[in-house]
Amino acid sequence: MVKVENTKNIAMSDCIVNLDHGDPTAYEEYWRKMGDRCTVTIRGCDLMSYFSDVNNLCWFLEPELAEAIKELHGAVGNAATEDRYIVVGTGSTQLCQAAVHALSLLAGGIEPVSVVAAAPYYSTYVEETTYVRSGMYKWEGDAWGFDKKGPFIELVTSPNNPDGTIRETVVNRPNDDEAKVIHDFAYYWPHYTPITRCQDHDIMLFTFSKITGHAGSRIGWALVKDKEVAKKMVEYIVVNSIGVSKESQVRTAKILKVLKETCQSETENFFEYGREMMKNRWERLREVVKESDFTLPKYPEGYCNFFGKTLESYPAFAWLGTKEETDLVNDLRRQKVMSRAGERCGSDKKHVRVSMLSREDVFNVFLERLANMKLIKSIDL
């Protein structure tokens, strides 16, 4: 049974460090210092109805959450919210499934709609599009080699999970009405990457968990241009879960408003805090990897409109590779480090995805074990 890292002092000899999942516990310390500013009180008589706003297309979206989402995007400048329908979901996972369902349904064809993503891709896309064995759509794998005729949906994650690169569509079909795109911007926030422009696409997905670290609230939202697509997404969520938890929405709204308030603060700016933490972790990881057989991607600098200066990217995941012909996920497992196999992301055995969002003590143990692997390899040589 895998042990969970709960203690401050992790025993190097027996603890399994699980960096397979992107559990964003790295930000706990920041929110702890915020004290009661994000505290929400919910009485027993509150939030009892299914309905939040019967006049809204997404009738289970709490108005205060919709307002907080618009205000935060406006403050950060990473996505357009004007003339958009906001659809709230139980994390962006549910929203991605809802969007694929909606686009496939509206395509109206007899054959399943193809779903693709450029490798290396987010491994859960495969599970999301194959688990229920829907006859409406079909996972077709890597978008780089996709040339099948007919309607298709391309999933574009930018910055990309797992390798942190900035992505655009790769299936080149200009003016093709059968080509649909879902943009996943889970990591397009200034603590991970420079905000170079305000994104403006038909369907844009965001998740609360990767912005602030509050993964347990299970809240995501989609910014959708087309009313019919938004309606079909809402219908999917209604059938799937009859809406979204109001308690989670109210908590999310409160935290997003506090987050927005700190954007101009010199001492409490969450994005500044997160960026410094991610920068520190990436610098230490690169120091360990330096002059070894391990590899990491290099990221170009970009002018960040939020911070007003040129900055580097510090992704939420490290796409760790090796120059050797070896199975890296098993090499790390022998050091009691769990990672996401590159093969699950459409890549190869020489690559793994490693979460950079664990608690500090867990991350430190990971660096020590990686350094130990480097030392062992140098001795073998």
Side-chain angles (χ1 to χ4, degrees), residues 76 189-190 193-196 275 302-311:
V76 175
W189 295 95
T193 191
I195 304 302
T196 56
R275 184 166 190 82
Y303 185 83
C304 180
N305 295 322
F306 178 78
F307 283 115
K309 56 185 176 181
T310 300
L311 298 170

Side-chain angles (χ1 to χ4, degrees), residues 95-96 99-100 102-104 113-118 125 143 151-158 167-185 197 199-205 222-226 229 233:
L95 288 164
C96 185
V100 169
L103 293 175
S104 300
V113 174
S114 299
V115 183
V116 297
Y125 287 154
F152 71 95
I153 301 168
E154 184 174 354
L155 303 173
V156 178
T157 308
S158 187
R167 288 287 186 88
E168 302 285 350
T169 56
V170 302
V171 181
N172 185 20
R173 292 192 188 174
N175 303 317
D176 187 348
D177 291 336
E178 293 186 312
K180 304 298 180 182
V181 183
I182 299 171
H183 285 86
D184 186 343
F185 288 123
R197 61 175 172 169
Q199 301 292 349
D200 181 10
H201 300 282
D202 291 344
I203 304 174
M204 300 185 288
L205 307 182
L223 303 177
V224 185
K225 279 186 180 180
D226 187 88
V229 173
M233 290 178 67

Side-chain angles (χ1 to χ4, degrees), residues 26-40:
Y27 304 120
E28 283 179 343
E29 188 60 31
Y30 174 88
W31 295 110
R32 188 175 291 112
K33 290 179 179 179
M34 297 301 285
D36 293 332
R37 288 182 61 180
C38 297
T39 299
V40 174

